[in-house]
Structure formats: structure tokens, C-alpha cells
Amino acid sequence: MVTNLPAEARAKWLKYLDARTTEEKIKALEEFLSAVPKHKGTENLVAWARKKLSELREELEESKKRRGGGPSFFVEKHGAAQVVLLGYTLSGKSSIFNALTNAKSKVTGIPYTTMFPVPGMMVYEDVQIQLVDTPPFAPEGVKVSWRGRLLGLARNADALLLVLDVTRDSEEQLRSMVKDLEGLGILLRKPRGRVQIERSKAYSGIRLVKMGKIVDGTEDDVRKLLESYRIYNALVKIYGEVSLDDVEKSLFEAVVYKPSVALLNKIDLISQEELDKLTNRIREQFPDIPLIPVSATTRQGLELVPKAVFNSLDLIRVYTKEPNSREPSKEPLVIPKGSTVEDALKVIREEFIKYFKYARIWGPSAKYPGEKVGLDHVLADGDIIEIRTQIRGI
Ligand SMILES: Nc1nc2c(ncn2[C@@H]2O[C@H](COP(=O)(O)OP(=O)(O)O)[C@@H](O)[C@H]2O)c(=O)[nH]1
Ligand SMILES: [Mg+2]
């Protein structure tokens, strides 16, 4: 990363961060680029800024075209999580979507049949997960007008389902999608650490919240770094192991991690031997991305998908039980792995926290059935929880 940017470039950068509309962002980024000296040390930054600029220009052009109205790319979230399908044209996204959900998306065999996102529900045991079928992902360099909006959809999703076509170079399809997305700050592999910077006048000074550590510097170094960008008020959250470089990078691009599952589709069209070789090669290259061989046509392998997706999301199911009632709720409360009793209460009914006496737990996280626990007890998938409060009726 850079660090040696002249003050002028840093000030321009701040202007970009503050820009609200696409037009303002384009203008600020152009000014930033002209203020950055071009040399080896700024190579990556310049490449990133140019790429971002071309995305923004595409976005602007597209939104001008769309002023007349038409369907939107935004898909409201429903169910426990939103999972977006991504893959090149004709890889079988719509066929898989139709096989896994109650919804219908058009399949014609003609490239670019799906022009807008289509939502549907996939069921895993007693959990509903929203799947979103999408227009094709295009390799870098191939211009498709929806690219920016498709990436926006991916950035906003809880997880991604990558669809690879076994009859074309599926290994290369995965490699190029991962590279393309990671280049834009959408990581498909869990990073060792992550930085989140919230700038606000409301914070006086630069405050650090560490849920991890800075491996090559002190808190003071972070402060100095931000001040060199003329950022004087911010909340800096550090998760896991991060370097000063990561802190600086996070000023340029909000990096997000999206759990992903890859589906190797159309396995009805190749031999078992070919398939084994291919899956081994892909798994070796991407050990962090679960790979499931499937066929939308014969439905082979599809039964494994809901569970794999649910597991990738790092969620747990908790069932609530009224005191004195035998049966827990049918519908689970679906919350992030690592959630405590207090986290669950925030979702169930916040007031419970104020009047909380204790909770009883049955299931995987209980030492014995009906164990009494406090607010900080960590829950597990399949737990049944009963809340006792100080006031009856609350
Ligand atoms: N043999 C075979 N063909 C498939 C499979 N999945 C999809 N197809 C075909 O591939 C073509 C593209 O499928 P579609 O779902 O529209 O792909 P999309 O462009 O990624 O949405 C269609 O002609 C499908 O019938 C599969 O598992 N096996
Ligand atoms: Mg389609």
C-alpha cells in the first residue's frame, strides 16, 4: 500500500469519501487520480482508483438510461438470510434456482435470458433461506450494463452461491470470479482480520475498539495514519489480526467477506472419472470454498445444497419455550453463531433484558437439561430457551 501520498492527494481522497452522488464521486475520484504521483508505490492504488472510476461511470450511464422506470435490481430481504446466485451465462443458475425454490425463473438456453434478479425461498429443515437468481456475471473486460448493480447485489447479500458449468472451463470460471470480486473488496475467503472505520463528527477524536490486534503498530500509529488523511473523528473497529496497511486500505475500499458455496453444475454431461479429477483440482485451489457437484437436470447433488448454504452462513436456531409449557416454538429464532442469551433477547423482546432473572436451557449448549444460565451464556444450534423475568406477565 501507499502511505506516501502527498497531502493534496489525501485531502482529495477525503473529498471522495464525503461525496454522496455518483456524479460527485466521479468528479472527486478524477481529481484524486490527477493528484496521485504515479510510481511503483502507488501502482495498486492507481489501478484500483481507475477500476472504481470506470464502475462509477458505468453506473451513472446505466442510471440515466433507467430514469424512465422499469424493474429494480434491489431485492428486499426475507427469511433467515439472502443468498445471491452468481455465474456466467448459461451455467445453469436459473435451472438450479427453479429446482431449489418455490419460484420460477425463465430458462431458454439462450444467453442473457435472465435480465433482472428473481427472489425465491429455499427450505433447509425449518429455516427459510432466500435465493436470488441473477443476470449473468461477465468476465472483466466484457461490458454488461448491469455489472455495477449485480456487484451491489452481491455486496449486500449474506452469502453467495457460485454456479460453475462443468462443460466449460469451470476451474477458470471460479478463478476469475474470485479474482474479480476480491479485486473489488468482496472477499470469498475469510480474511485473518478486518477493519471498519466509521467517520462521524459525533466522535471526539479517534477511538479504537479492538476485537483483535494490530500486528505491526500501536494505537498511536493508527491515529497518526488517519490524521495524515485529515480524519480526526472516527470510530475504528479492529477484528482479528490486522496490519497498518489493512487500516489504510480500509480507507479506500470497504472490504466485505461473503461466505460462499460453489456448485459444479451439469455433471450429467461428464464421466465420473473426469468429475473426480476436476473436483480435486478445484478443492485444492480453493480449500475455503465448499464445492458441491450437482445437476439441475437430474437433480443429483441438489439435496446437499441447503445444508451447505446454511452452514456457510454461521447461523444457529434457537427455540423459545413459555414457562410451564411443554412444547417449544415451532419456528426457530435464527441468529448468528456465538450469540448469547442477551443477543437472543434483543431479538425476542428487548424488555426481557431489563427484568431478566435467569434462563433455562435444553439442548446442545446445556450441561444438563434445564440448566439455569445468565445473560452471557453462549447458545448453540438447536437450543431450547425459557426466560424467567422478575415481573410476571413480561
Ligand atoms: N445437461 C444439463 N443441462 C443443464 C443443466 N442445468 C442447466 N442446463 C441447461 O443449460 C442451459 C442454461 O440454463 P439456465 O438455467 O438458463 O442458465 P443461466 O443462464 O445460468 O440461468 C439451459 O438450456 C438448461 O436446460 C444440467 O444440470 N445439465
Ligand atoms: Mg438465467
Side-chain angles (χ1 to χ4, degrees), residues 294-323:
V294 300
S295 162
T297 304
T298 67
R299 302 188 70 100
Q300 203 185 334
L302 286 179
E303 72 284 358
L304 303 171
V305 178
K307 189 184 168 83
V309 169
F310 181 76
N311 287 343
S312 80
L313 287 163
D314 268 346
L315 295 170
I316 58 166
R317 290 164 292 180
V318 175
Y319 303 82
T320 53
K321 189 171 92 60
E322 298 282 332

PDB file of all heavy atoms in Angstrom, residues 294-323:
ATOM      1  N   VAL A 294     -23.290 -30.982  -8.840  1.00  0.00           N
ATOM      2  CA  VAL A 294     -24.749 -31.129  -8.967  1.00  0.00           C
ATOM      3  C   VAL A 294     -25.174 -31.214 -10.431  1.00  0.00           C
ATOM      4  O   VAL A 294     -24.384 -30.951 -11.342  1.00  0.00           O
ATOM      5  CB  VAL A 294     -25.516 -29.931  -8.345  1.00  0.00           C
ATOM      6  CG1 VAL A 294     -25.223 -29.767  -6.873  1.00  0.00           C
ATOM      7  CG2 VAL A 294     -25.222 -28.627  -9.097  1.00  0.00           C
ATOM      8  N   SER A 295     -26.418 -31.600 -10.626  1.00  0.00           N
ATOM      9  CA  SER A 295     -27.038 -31.484 -11.939  1.00  0.00           C
ATOM     10  C   SER A 295     -28.445 -30.962 -11.743  1.00  0.00           C
ATOM     11  O   SER A 295     -29.250 -31.582 -11.052  1.00  0.00           O
ATOM     12  CB  SER A 295     -27.081 -32.843 -12.643  1.00  0.00           C
ATOM     13  OG  SER A 295     -28.027 -32.791 -13.692  1.00  0.00           O
ATOM     14  N   ALA A 296     -28.729 -29.809 -12.355  1.00  0.00           N
ATOM     15  CA  ALA A 296     -30.082 -29.254 -12.244  1.00  0.00           C
ATOM     16  C   ALA A 296     -31.051 -30.142 -13.006  1.00  0.00           C
ATOM     17  O   ALA A 296     -32.217 -30.235 -12.670  1.00  0.00           O
ATOM     18  CB  ALA A 296     -30.113 -27.838 -12.794  1.00  0.00           C
ATOM     19  N   THR A 297     -30.555 -30.847 -14.026  1.00  0.00           N
ATOM     20  CA  THR A 297     -31.406 -31.688 -14.860  1.00  0.00           C
ATOM     21  C   THR A 297     -31.818 -32.965 -14.140  1.00  0.00           C
ATOM     22  O   THR A 297     -32.993 -33.298 -14.076  1.00  0.00           O
ATOM     23  CB  THR A 297     -30.684 -32.032 -16.179  1.00  0.00           C
ATOM     24  OG1 THR A 297     -30.323 -30.801 -16.798  1.00  0.00           O
ATOM     25  CG2 THR A 297     -31.566 -32.835 -17.111  1.00  0.00           C
ATOM     26  N   THR A 298     -30.852 -33.696 -13.571  1.00  0.00           N
ATOM     27  CA  THR A 298     -31.186 -34.963 -12.898  1.00  0.00           C
ATOM     28  C   THR A 298     -31.424 -34.749 -11.398  1.00  0.00           C
ATOM     29  O   THR A 298     -31.787 -35.676 -10.697  1.00  0.00           O
ATOM     30  CB  THR A 298     -30.039 -35.983 -13.040  1.00  0.00           C
ATOM     31  OG1 THR A 298     -28.909 -35.489 -12.303  1.00  0.00           O
ATOM     32  CG2 THR A 298     -29.647 -36.185 -14.496  1.00  0.00           C
ATOM     33  N   ARG A 299     -31.179 -33.562 -10.912  1.00  0.00           N
ATOM     34  CA  ARG A 299     -31.301 -33.162  -9.501  1.00  0.00           C
ATOM     35  C   ARG A 299     -30.243 -33.809  -8.600  1.00  0.00           C
ATOM     36  O   ARG A 299     -30.283 -33.668  -7.372  1.00  0.00           O
ATOM     37  CB  ARG A 299     -32.700 -33.468  -8.941  1.00  0.00           C
ATOM     38  CG  ARG A 299     -33.823 -32.785  -9.709  1.00  0.00           C
ATOM     39  CD  ARG A 299     -35.154 -32.968  -9.005  1.00  0.00           C
ATOM     40  NE  ARG A 299     -35.199 -32.206  -7.773  1.00  0.00           N
ATOM     41  CZ  ARG A 299     -35.809 -31.027  -7.651  1.00  0.00           C
ATOM     42  NH1 ARG A 299     -36.412 -30.496  -8.684  1.00  0.00           N
ATOM     43  NH2 ARG A 299     -35.814 -30.391  -6.510  1.00  0.00           N
ATOM     44  N   GLN A 300     -29.326 -34.509  -9.209  1.00  0.00           N
ATOM     45  CA  GLN A 300     -28.260 -35.150  -8.436  1.00  0.00           C
ATOM     46  C   GLN A 300     -27.483 -34.102  -7.636  1.00  0.00           C
ATOM     47  O   GLN A 300     -27.133 -33.049  -8.164  1.00  0.00           O
ATOM     48  CB  GLN A 300     -27.306 -35.817  -9.424  1.00  0.00           C
ATOM     49  CG  GLN A 300     -26.483 -36.940  -8.838  1.00  0.00           C
ATOM     50  CD  GLN A 300     -25.486 -37.449  -9.871  1.00  0.00           C
ATOM     51  OE1 GLN A 300     -25.707 -37.340 -11.076  1.00  0.00           O
ATOM     52  NE2 GLN A 300     -24.387 -38.001  -9.400  1.00  0.00           N
ATOM     53  N   GLY A 301     -27.233 -34.374  -6.366  1.00  0.00           N
ATOM     54  CA  GLY A 301     -26.416 -33.487  -5.530  1.00  0.00           C
ATOM     55  C   GLY A 301     -27.161 -32.296  -4.947  1.00  0.00           C
ATOM     56  O   GLY A 301     -26.713 -31.684  -3.976  1.00  0.00           O
ATOM     57  N   LEU A 302     -28.325 -31.965  -5.514  1.00  0.00           N
ATOM     58  CA  LEU A 302     -29.017 -30.752  -5.061  1.00  0.00           C
ATOM     59  C   LEU A 302     -29.490 -30.844  -3.612  1.00  0.00           C
ATOM     60  O   LEU A 302     -29.621 -29.837  -2.925  1.00  0.00           O
ATOM     61  CB  LEU A 302     -30.215 -30.432  -5.964  1.00  0.00           C
ATOM     62  CG  LEU A 302     -29.882 -29.868  -7.341  1.00  0.00           C
ATOM     63  CD1 LEU A 302     -31.156 -29.621  -8.139  1.00  0.00           C
ATOM     64  CD2 LEU A 302     -29.078 -28.574  -7.226  1.00  0.00           C
ATOM     65  N   GLU A 303     -29.707 -32.080  -3.145  1.00  0.00           N
ATOM     66  CA  GLU A 303     -30.209 -32.249  -1.773  1.00  0.00           C
ATOM     67  C   GLU A 303     -29.156 -31.802  -0.744  1.00  0.00           C
ATOM     68  O   GLU A 303     -29.490 -31.541   0.408  1.00  0.00           O
ATOM     69  CB  GLU A 303     -30.658 -33.710  -1.534  1.00  0.00           C
ATOM     70  CG  GLU A 303     -29.539 -34.750  -1.422  1.00  0.00           C
ATOM     71  CD  GLU A 303     -28.902 -35.129  -2.762  1.00  0.00           C
ATOM     72  OE1 GLU A 303     -29.337 -34.621  -3.813  1.00  0.00           O
ATOM     73  OE2 GLU A 303     -27.939 -35.932  -2.757  1.00  0.00           O
ATOM     74  N   LEU A 304     -27.907 -31.682  -1.173  1.00  0.00           N
ATOM     75  CA  LEU A 304     -26.852 -31.272  -0.233  1.00  0.00           C
ATOM     76  C   LEU A 304     -26.733 -29.751  -0.104  1.00  0.00           C
ATOM     77  O   LEU A 304     -26.069 -29.243   0.793  1.00  0.00           O
ATOM     78  CB  LEU A 304     -25.494 -31.818  -0.710  1.00  0.00           C
ATOM     79  CG  LEU A 304     -25.400 -33.336  -0.898  1.00  0.00           C
ATOM     80  CD1 LEU A 304     -24.094 -33.707  -1.567  1.00  0.00           C
ATOM     81  CD2 LEU A 304     -25.525 -34.027   0.459  1.00  0.00           C
ATOM     82  N   VAL A 305     -27.364 -29.044  -1.032  1.00  0.00           N
ATOM     83  CA  VAL A 305     -27.132 -27.598  -1.111  1.00  0.00           C
ATOM     84  C   VAL A 305     -27.691 -26.801   0.084  1.00  0.00           C
ATOM     85  O   VAL A 305     -26.960 -26.007   0.675  1.00  0.00           O
ATOM     86  CB  VAL A 305     -27.652 -27.025  -2.461  1.00  0.00           C
ATOM     87  CG1 VAL A 305     -27.449 -25.520  -2.526  1.00  0.00           C
ATOM     88  CG2 VAL A 305     -26.940 -27.720  -3.615  1.00  0.00           C
ATOM     89  N   PRO A 306     -28.976 -27.028   0.474  1.00  0.00           N
ATOM     90  CA  PRO A 306     -29.493 -26.208   1.581  1.00  0.00           C
ATOM     91  C   PRO A 306     -28.648 -26.293   2.847  1.00  0.00           C
ATOM     92  O   PRO A 306     -28.351 -25.267   3.472  1.00  0.00           O
ATOM     93  CB  PRO A 306     -30.904 -26.786   1.812  1.00  0.00           C
ATOM     94  CG  PRO A 306     -31.285 -27.361   0.487  1.00  0.00           C
ATOM     95  CD  PRO A 306     -30.014 -27.915  -0.093  1.00  0.00           C
ATOM     96  N   LYS A 307     -28.215 -27.482   3.218  1.00  0.00           N
ATOM     97  CA  LYS A 307     -27.417 -27.635   4.431  1.00  0.00           C
ATOM     98  C   LYS A 307     -26.066 -26.920   4.301  1.00  0.00           C
ATOM     99  O   LYS A 307     -25.625 -26.227   5.219  1.00  0.00           O
ATOM    100  CB  LYS A 307     -27.191 -29.132   4.714  1.00  0.00           C
ATOM    101  CG  LYS A 307     -26.551 -29.397   6.063  1.00  0.00           C
ATOM    102  CD  LYS A 307     -26.269 -30.890   6.211  1.00  0.00           C
ATOM    103  CE  LYS A 307     -25.382 -31.185   7.374  1.00  0.00           C
ATOM    104  NZ  LYS A 307     -26.032 -31.265   8.654  1.00  0.00           N
ATOM    105  N   ALA A 308     -25.424 -27.081   3.147  1.00  0.00           N
ATOM    106  CA  ALA A 308     -24.118 -26.439   2.937  1.00  0.00           C
ATOM    107  C   ALA A 308     -24.249 -24.920   3.005  1.00  0.00           C
ATOM    108  O   ALA A 308     -23.396 -24.235   3.577  1.00  0.00           O
ATOM    109  CB  ALA A 308     -23.537 -26.867   1.594  1.00  0.00           C
ATOM    110  N   VAL A 309     -25.337 -24.395   2.432  1.00  0.00           N
ATOM    111  CA  VAL A 309     -25.554 -22.946   2.464  1.00  0.00           C
ATOM    112  C   VAL A 309     -25.800 -22.499   3.896  1.00  0.00           C
ATOM    113  O   VAL A 309     -25.195 -21.536   4.376  1.00  0.00           O
ATOM    114  CB  VAL A 309     -26.736 -22.538   1.546  1.00  0.00           C
ATOM    115  CG1 VAL A 309     -27.138 -21.095   1.791  1.00  0.00           C
ATOM    116  CG2 VAL A 309     -26.361 -22.737   0.082  1.00  0.00           C
ATOM    117  N   PHE A 310     -26.658 -23.234   4.607  1.00  0.00           N
ATOM    118  CA  PHE A 310     -26.950 -22.874   5.992  1.00  0.00           C
ATOM    119  C   PHE A 310     -25.661 -22.883   6.819  1.00  0.00           C
ATOM    120  O   PHE A 310     -25.392 -21.944   7.580  1.00  0.00           O
ATOM    121  CB  PHE A 310     -27.980 -23.832   6.607  1.00  0.00           C
ATOM    122  CG  PHE A 310     -28.331 -23.499   8.030  1.00  0.00           C
ATOM    123  CD1 PHE A 310     -29.176 -22.436   8.314  1.00  0.00           C
ATOM    124  CD2 PHE A 310     -27.791 -24.215   9.091  1.00  0.00           C
ATOM    125  CE1 PHE A 310     -29.486 -22.093   9.623  1.00  0.00           C
ATOM    126  CE2 PHE A 310     -28.092 -23.888  10.408  1.00  0.00           C
ATOM    127  CZ  PHE A 310     -28.945 -22.821  10.676  1.00  0.00           C
ATOM    128  N   ASN A 311     -24.841 -23.914   6.660  1.00  0.00           N
ATOM    129  CA  ASN A 311     -23.583 -23.989   7.413  1.00  0.00           C
ATOM    130  C   ASN A 311     -22.651 -22.826   7.101  1.00  0.00           C
ATOM    131  O   ASN A 311     -21.985 -22.302   7.987  1.00  0.00           O
ATOM    132  CB  ASN A 311     -22.852 -25.304   7.132  1.00  0.00           C
ATOM    133  CG  ASN A 311     -23.530 -26.482   7.800  1.00  0.00           C
ATOM    134  OD1 ASN A 311     -24.346 -26.303   8.706  1.00  0.00           O
ATOM    135  ND2 ASN A 311     -23.228 -27.685   7.348  1.00  0.00           N
ATOM    136  N   SER A 312     -22.613 -22.418   5.837  1.00  0.00           N
ATOM    137  CA  SER A 312     -21.692 -21.338   5.465  1.00  0.00           C
ATOM    138  C   SER A 312     -22.100 -20.017   6.117  1.00  0.00           C
ATOM    139  O   SER A 312     -21.277 -19.146   6.319  1.00  0.00           O
ATOM    140  CB  SER A 312     -21.643 -21.181   3.947  1.00  0.00           C
ATOM    141  OG  SER A 312     -22.768 -20.446   3.494  1.00  0.00           O
ATOM    142  N   LEU A 313     -23.389 -19.879   6.421  1.00  0.00           N
ATOM    143  CA  LEU A 313     -23.895 -18.617   6.961  1.00  0.00           C
ATOM    144  C   LEU A 313     -23.545 -18.399   8.428  1.00  0.00           C
ATOM    145  O   LEU A 313     -23.723 -17.303   8.963  1.00  0.00           O
ATOM    146  CB  LEU A 313     -25.421 -18.567   6.804  1.00  0.00           C
ATOM    147  CG  LEU A 313     -25.924 -18.344   5.374  1.00  0.00           C
ATOM    148  CD1 LEU A 313     -27.389 -18.724   5.254  1.00  0.00           C
ATOM    149  CD2 LEU A 313     -25.711 -16.896   4.964  1.00  0.00           C
ATOM    150  N   ASP A 314     -23.065 -19.447   9.097  1.00  0.00           N
ATOM    151  CA  ASP A 314     -22.712 -19.334  10.518  1.00  0.00           C
ATOM    152  C   ASP A 314     -23.886 -18.849  11.362  1.00  0.00           C
ATOM    153  O   ASP A 314     -23.776 -17.889  12.122  1.00  0.00           O
ATOM    154  CB  ASP A 314     -21.519 -18.386  10.715  1.00  0.00           C
ATOM    155  CG  ASP A 314     -20.206 -19.144  10.699  1.00  0.00           C
ATOM    156  OD1 ASP A 314     -20.243 -20.393  10.801  1.00  0.00           O
ATOM    157  OD2 ASP A 314     -19.150 -18.505  10.598  1.00  0.00           O
ATOM    158  N   LEU A 315     -25.010 -19.529  11.194  1.00  0.00           N
ATOM    159  CA  LEU A 315     -26.207 -19.179  11.954  1.00  0.00           C
ATOM    160  C   LEU A 315     -26.564 -20.337  12.893  1.00  0.00           C
ATOM    161  O   LEU A 315     -26.131 -21.469  12.666  1.00  0.00           O
ATOM    162  CB  LEU A 315     -27.392 -18.943  11.004  1.00  0.00           C
ATOM    163  CG  LEU A 315     -27.282 -17.753  10.059  1.00  0.00           C
ATOM    164  CD1 LEU A 315     -28.394 -17.793   9.021  1.00  0.00           C
ATOM    165  CD2 LEU A 315     -27.301 -16.437  10.817  1.00  0.00           C
ATOM    166  N   ILE A 316     -27.343 -20.036  13.919  1.00  0.00           N
ATOM    167  CA  ILE A 316     -27.882 -21.091  14.774  1.00  0.00           C
ATOM    168  C   ILE A 316     -29.389 -20.894  14.928  1.00  0.00           C
ATOM    169  O   ILE A 316     -29.904 -19.801  14.713  1.00  0.00           O
ATOM    170  CB  ILE A 316     -27.229 -21.119  16.179  1.00  0.00           C
ATOM    171  CG1 ILE A 316     -27.411 -19.761  16.884  1.00  0.00           C
ATOM    172  CG2 ILE A 316     -25.768 -21.515  16.107  1.00  0.00           C
ATOM    173  CD1 ILE A 316     -27.104 -19.801  18.367  1.00  0.00           C
ATOM    174  N   ARG A 317     -30.062 -21.989  15.268  1.00  0.00           N
ATOM    175  CA  ARG A 317     -31.508 -21.917  15.507  1.00  0.00           C
ATOM    176  C   ARG A 317     -31.777 -22.109  16.992  1.00  0.00           C
ATOM    177  O   ARG A 317     -31.250 -23.034  17.607  1.00  0.00           O
ATOM    178  CB  ARG A 317     -32.215 -23.023  14.736  1.00  0.00           C
ATOM    179  CG  ARG A 317     -32.207 -22.800  13.256  1.00  0.00           C
ATOM    180  CD  ARG A 317     -32.551 -24.046  12.519  1.00  0.00           C
ATOM    181  NE  ARG A 317     -31.503 -25.044  12.655  1.00  0.00           N
ATOM    182  CZ  ARG A 317     -31.565 -26.236  12.099  1.00  0.00           C
ATOM    183  NH1 ARG A 317     -32.630 -26.600  11.431  1.00  0.00           N
ATOM    184  NH2 ARG A 317     -30.562 -27.088  12.229  1.00  0.00           N
ATOM    185  N   VAL A 318     -32.591 -21.217  17.521  1.00  0.00           N
ATOM    186  CA  VAL A 318     -32.947 -21.310  18.939  1.00  0.00           C
ATOM    187  C   VAL A 318     -34.473 -21.302  19.023  1.00  0.00           C
ATOM    188  O   VAL A 318     -35.131 -20.542  18.331  1.00  0.00           O
ATOM    189  CB  VAL A 318     -32.362 -20.115  19.720  1.00  0.00           C
ATOM    190  CG1 VAL A 318     -32.829 -20.126  21.162  1.00  0.00           C
ATOM    191  CG2 VAL A 318     -30.839 -20.139  19.654  1.00  0.00           C
ATOM    192  N   TYR A 319     -35.021 -22.193  19.876  1.00  0.00           N
ATOM    193  CA  TYR A 319     -36.471 -22.302  20.013  1.00  0.00           C
ATOM    194  C   TYR A 319     -36.860 -21.764  21.382  1.00  0.00           C
ATOM    195  O   TYR A 319     -36.217 -22.098  22.383  1.00  0.00           O
ATOM    196  CB  TYR A 319     -36.900 -23.769  19.862  1.00  0.00           C
ATOM    197  CG  TYR A 319     -36.446 -24.337  18.542  1.00  0.00           C
ATOM    198  CD1 TYR A 319     -35.138 -24.801  18.371  1.00  0.00           C
ATOM    199  CD2 TYR A 319     -37.304 -24.351  17.449  1.00  0.00           C
ATOM    200  CE1 TYR A 319     -34.704 -25.285  17.135  1.00  0.00           C
ATOM    201  CE2 TYR A 319     -36.883 -24.830  16.223  1.00  0.00           C
ATOM    202  CZ  TYR A 319     -35.575 -25.292  16.072  1.00  0.00           C
ATOM    203  OH  TYR A 319     -35.155 -25.754  14.850  1.00  0.00           O
ATOM    204  N   THR A 320     -37.880 -20.949  21.427  1.00  0.00           N
ATOM    205  CA  THR A 320     -38.283 -20.399  22.725  1.00  0.00           C
ATOM    206  C   THR A 320     -39.399 -21.253  23.310  1.00  0.00           C
ATOM    207  O   THR A 320     -40.172 -21.887  22.583  1.00  0.00           O
ATOM    208  CB  THR A 320     -38.780 -18.955  22.574  1.00  0.00           C
ATOM    209  OG1 THR A 320     -39.791 -18.935  21.560  1.00  0.00           O
ATOM    210  CG2 THR A 320     -37.663 -18.025  22.187  1.00  0.00           C
ATOM    211  N   LYS A 321     -39.446 -21.288  24.636  1.00  0.00           N
ATOM    212  CA  LYS A 321     -40.482 -22.071  25.317  1.00  0.00           C
ATOM    213  C   LYS A 321     -41.057 -21.211  26.433  1.00  0.00           C
ATOM    214  O   LYS A 321     -40.330 -20.567  27.181  1.00  0.00           O
ATOM    215  CB  LYS A 321     -39.854 -23.337  25.898  1.00  0.00           C
ATOM    216  CG  LYS A 321     -40.859 -24.326  26.439  1.00  0.00           C
ATOM    217  CD  LYS A 321     -40.189 -25.635  26.797  1.00  0.00           C
ATOM    218  CE  LYS A 321     -39.734 -25.696  28.251  1.00  0.00           C
ATOM    219  NZ  LYS A 321     -40.816 -25.550  29.216  1.00  0.00           N
ATOM    220  N   GLU A 322     -42.356 -21.177  26.522  1.00  0.00           N
ATOM    221  CA  GLU A 322     -43.010 -20.465  27.618  1.00  0.00           C
ATOM    222  C   GLU A 322     -42.800 -21.272  28.892  1.00  0.00           C
ATOM    223  O   GLU A 322     -42.847 -22.503  28.850  1.00  0.00           O
ATOM    224  CB  GLU A 322     -44.527 -20.405  27.364  1.00  0.00           C
ATOM    225  CG  GLU A 322     -44.930 -19.653  26.117  1.00  0.00           C
ATOM    226  CD  GLU A 322     -44.887 -18.153  26.308  1.00  0.00           C
ATOM    227  OE1 GLU A 322     -45.077 -17.701  27.454  1.00  0.00           O
ATOM    228  OE2 GLU A 322     -44.634 -17.446  25.321  1.00  0.00           O
ATOM    229  N   PRO A 323     -42.610 -20.596  30.048  1.00  0.00           N
ATOM    230  CA  PRO A 323     -42.533 -21.340  31.294  1.00  0.00           C
ATOM    231  C   PRO A 323     -43.795 -22.192  31.441  1.00  0.00           C
ATOM    232  O   PRO A 323     -44.885 -21.752  31.065  1.00  0.00           O
ATOM    233  CB  PRO A 323     -42.496 -20.241  32.363  1.00  0.00           C
ATOM    234  CG  PRO A 323     -42.002 -19.031  31.649  1.00  0.00           C
ATOM    235  CD  PRO A 323     -42.451 -19.150  30.241  1.00  0.00           C
TER     236      PRO A 323
END
